[in-house]
């Protein structure tokens, strides 16, 4: 896959993708690339006005639908409106925001990045024919999942550790979903991807002085959103992608470059923790998977 880029995406005519958080950054780039390859893309976004503006620039192969991953009622409404899907790309996320809670009382980062996508995937899984791609981050090395305090109700809140925990959760979910799909004899696969250090709006929403620092980092160090989106596009479309795999950039420390298969830390591979997080996620969201 050396040097794989958007021009290498196979034709996607007749295929339907759902991309969460598609109105900016990696999601917008992925949407444009999939539509250019012939796919139909449902842009699942909280900001419908901004998403509509993006959709108008991309063309008539995209549809805008409202989805707020921080509100399980919105997740259920969106899922109920969907028909058959080939690929779900769990792309949306928030990073290092101050402590706040979702509409359902979850800490915002675990609630949006993990629980919202957990619920969405479970509600759609019986309509997905090919793949589930979930975005994680190298920041999964910065945090740890605490099942006894998943929503930071007892610990002193640390925004970066909370972000890292949500990214570990994304990987635990990806790998556990693949084990369940395999056990059920399903041909659907679950894979993960991360963008390295890519210049997107994610870094400008921490509501802290770090927004300015990361803005400068985006200008001087980060690769483009177009490059950052390649691992998720590879995971979503390339021939030969296998379930339970993880893709990121091929450069130094996986910060930039073209997509390749990469590894993840020991906690993300802990099957006992993954099963326990799955059970806790079902309990919190009320979503039970049919696999």
């Amino acid at each position: 896959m050396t040097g794989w880029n958007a021009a290498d995406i196979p034709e996607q005519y007749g295929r339907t993708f759902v991309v969460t958080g598609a109105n900016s950054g990696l999601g917008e780039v992925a949407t444009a690339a999939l539509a250019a390859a012939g796919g139909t893309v449902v842009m699942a976004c909280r900001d419908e006005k901004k998403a509509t503006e993006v959709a108008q620039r991309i063309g008539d192969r995209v549809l805008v639908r409202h989805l707020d991953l921080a509100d399980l009622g919105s997740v259920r409404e969106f899922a109920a409106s969907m028909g058959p899907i080939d690929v779900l790309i769990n792309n949306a996320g928030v990073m290092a925001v101050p402590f706040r809670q979702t509409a359902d009382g979850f800490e915002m980062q675990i609630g949006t990045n993990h629980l919202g996508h957990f619920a969405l995937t479970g509600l759609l899984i019986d309509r997905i024919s090919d793949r589930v791609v979930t975005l994680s981050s190298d920041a999964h090395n910065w945090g740890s999942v605490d099942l006894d305090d998943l929503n930071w109700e007892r610990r002193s809140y640390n925004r970066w550790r909370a972000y890292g925990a949500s990214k570990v959760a994304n990987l635990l979910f990806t790998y556990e979903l693949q084990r369940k799909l395999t056990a059920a004899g399903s041909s659907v696969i679950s894979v993960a991807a991360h963008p390295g250090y890519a210049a997107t709006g994610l870094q400008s929403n921490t509501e802290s002085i770090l927004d300015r620092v990361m803005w400068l980092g985006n200008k001087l160090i980060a690769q483009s959103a177009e490059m950052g989106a390649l691992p998720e596009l590879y995971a979503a479309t390339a021939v030969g992608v296998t379930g339970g795999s993880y893709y990121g950039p091929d450069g130094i420390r996986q910060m930039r470059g073209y997509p390749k298969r990469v590894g993840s830390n020991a906690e993300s591979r802990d099957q006992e923790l993954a099963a326990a997080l799955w059970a806790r996620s079902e309990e919190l969201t009320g979503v039970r998977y049919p696999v």
Side-chain angles (χ1 to χ4, degrees):
M1 74 183 75
T2 302
W4 190 96
N5 60 52
D8 297 311
I9 297 174
E11 286 190 357
Q12 300 297 313
Y13 293 100
R15 286 166 61 79
T16 299
F17 298 79
V18 170
V19 181
T20 66
N23 61 315
S24 64
L26 304 177
E28 179 180 350
V29 171
T31 296
L34 293 168
T40 297
V41 185
V42 178
M43 299 175 64
C45 304
R46 182 170 55 87
D47 189 335
E48 288 182 274
K49 181 178 183 295
K50 187 174 182 180
T52 298
E53 293 170 355
V54 171
Q56 290 173 344
R57 293 198 299 270
I58 294 175
D60 59 6
R61 290 192 175 277
V62 297
L63 306 169
V64 174
R65 297 288 184 271
H66 180 259
L67 171 65
D68 184 353
L69 289 162
D71 183 343
L72 292 179
S74 175
V75 173
R76 290 183 181 278
E77 288 179 8
F78 174 86
S81 74
M82 292 304 301
I85 301 161
D86 293 283
V87 179
L88 169 63
I89 304 181
N90 290 323
N91 167 86
V94 294
M95 183 179 76
V97 295
F99 181 80
R100 58 172 62 101
Q101 294 179 317
T102 69
D104 304 281
F106 309 139
E107 183 274 317
M108 184 61 71
Q109 297 191 82
I110 198 74
T112 301
N113 299 351
H114 168 61
L115 292 170
H117 281 127
F118 178 92
L120 177 66
T121 306
L123 293 167
L124 293 177
I125 194 67
D126 60 356
R127 280 166 276 173
I128 297 171
S129 63
D130 187 7
R131 307 178 194 188
V132 176
V133 179
T134 300
L135 268 287
S136 185
S137 167
D138 189 56
H140 80 273
N141 292 299
W142 304 348
S144 183
V145 171
D146 185 342
L147 290 174
D148 294 324
D149 191 21
L150 197 62
N151 289 302
W152 294 81
E153 295 165 320
R154 293 190 292 276
R155 292 172 291 168
S156 176
Y157 183 69
N158 180 297
R159 64 175 74 200
W160 287 106
R161 286 174 58 206
Y163 179 63
S166 74
K167 296 291 101 180
V168 176
N170 289 150
L171 288 168
L172 289 164
F173 164 69
T174 294
Y175 302 147
E176 183 68 7
L177 177 57
Q178 183 58 54
R179 286 188 284 269
K180 291 182 180 300
L181 290 166
T182 298
S186 174
S187 62
V188 177
I189 61 172
S190 171
V191 298
H194 82 85
Y197 186 2
T200 70
L202 188 67
Q203 293 96 335
S204 61
N205 289 288
T206 68
E207 301 176 37
S208 72
I209 190 64
L210 287 173
D211 286 352
R212 296 181 182 180
V213 176
M214 289 188 287
W215 177 86
L216 185 61
N218 280 355
K219 295 292 184 182
L220 300 179
I221 303 172
Q223 64 179 352
S224 67
E226 285 73 19
M227 287 295 295
L230 291 181
E232 68 183 273
L233 286 167
Y234 185 90
T237 66
V239 176
V241 169
T242 55
S245 53
Y246 184 32
Y247 296 91
D250 63 0
I252 297 172
R253 298 185 64 184
Q254 299 173 28
M255 289 184 67
R256 57 196 302 130
Y258 295 94
K260 72 169 185 177
R261 187 166 181 169
V262 297
S264 61
N265 68 14
E267 180 172 327
S268 72
R269 295 284 182 180
D270 185 331
Q271 294 190 30
E272 183 176 344
L273 177 61
L277 176 62
W278 188 282
R280 181 70 173 135
S281 300
E282 286 190 331
E283 176 188 348
L284 289 171
T285 64
V287 174
R288 301 291 190 273
Y289 279 56
V291 296

